[in-house]
Amino acid sequence: MIESSVIIETINRWNEDSLRLIYTHHYKLLMAYAIQLLGERTEAEDAVQDVLLNTWEQRNAYETERHLRIYLFNAVRNRCLTILNHLNVTVSHQERLRREYREMALEDHSIALHKEEVYRQLFLAIDQMPSKQRKIFLLAIEGKRNSEIAEILETNINTVKALKRRGIARLRATLQPDALLLLALLLE
């Protein structure tokens, strides 16, 4: 076993032997500590390697091996806390996104239900019309012009216009504003 003062002298030279000694004497303990804090080996390895790399790059001189060990454990703890904080922010952000997505999905679902209800009301009201008037509305909703409807139903264009006007007046009296708006859009 190498004496503690020899170890710290070797480490303070910051050469290949320094790196080997740090890994030999501290890596396993630092890993165990990081795994205990993070609960996950991959993240713990990243944290310890980051700390060891930063320690190597800084090349500080340490009075004793104990000072180095205290520094390394504090640095690993701080790095793990940073990782945990980042994970908490990420989880919090993901949870917020999930919540917003659920709200949007519920909103979209309620909009779809509302549209479905508006269509149902409109077509229920059209189904209550007399046969010829109903046919005129259904053809108009398909995008047919008055002249085309008159030709298909073998009737006068003025009859089509009159039945359409009476049907619109009837629908205005019975339908909700949303269904009337939908009707106007369908008849354009």
Side-chain angles (χ1 to χ4, degrees), residues 121-138:
Q121 285 178 12
L122 175 61
F123 284 97
L124 189 63
I126 290 172
D127 284 344
Q128 301 299 315
M129 293 178 169
S131 176
K132 195 169 191 175
Q133 197 173 41
R134 180 175 53 248
K135 287 177 186 174
I136 289 170
F137 268 88
L138 292 175

Side-chain angles (χ1 to χ4, degrees), residues 37-120:
L37 292 172
L38 295 172
E40 210 265 327
R41 184 171 184 81
T42 306
E43 291 288 338
E45 285 176 348
D46 289 346
V48 170
Q49 288 175 6
D50 284 350
V51 166
L52 292 177
L53 178 65
N54 288 339
T55 303
W56 176 260
E57 289 173 348
Q58 291 173 5
R59 298 177 188 251
N60 292 328
Y62 297 94
E63 291 179 30
T64 66
E65 189 179 7
R66 183 174 181 275
H67 285 121
L68 172 63
R69 188 174 30 253
I70 291 170
Y71 168 78
L72 291 173
F73 275 90
N74 283 336
V76 166
R77 184 194 67 232
N78 291 339
R79 181 68 185 125
C80 289
L81 291 175
T82 300
I83 289 170
L84 289 172
N85 187 37
H86 177 73
L87 289 173
N88 285 338
V89 168
T90 301
V91 167
S92 169
H93 179 68
Q94 288 172 341
E95 199 48 46
R96 184 179 56 80
L97 289 176
R98 279 191 204 102
R99 190 173 47 255
E100 287 176 5
Y101 177 77
R102 278 194 301 270
E103 288 172 5
M104 285 180 0
L106 287 173
E107 192 175 287
D108 288 348
H109 181 67
S110 85
I111 289 170
L113 288 175
H114 180 70
K115 282 182 179 177
E116 190 176 306
E117 178 60 21
V118 169
Y119 271 97
R120 191 189 68 72

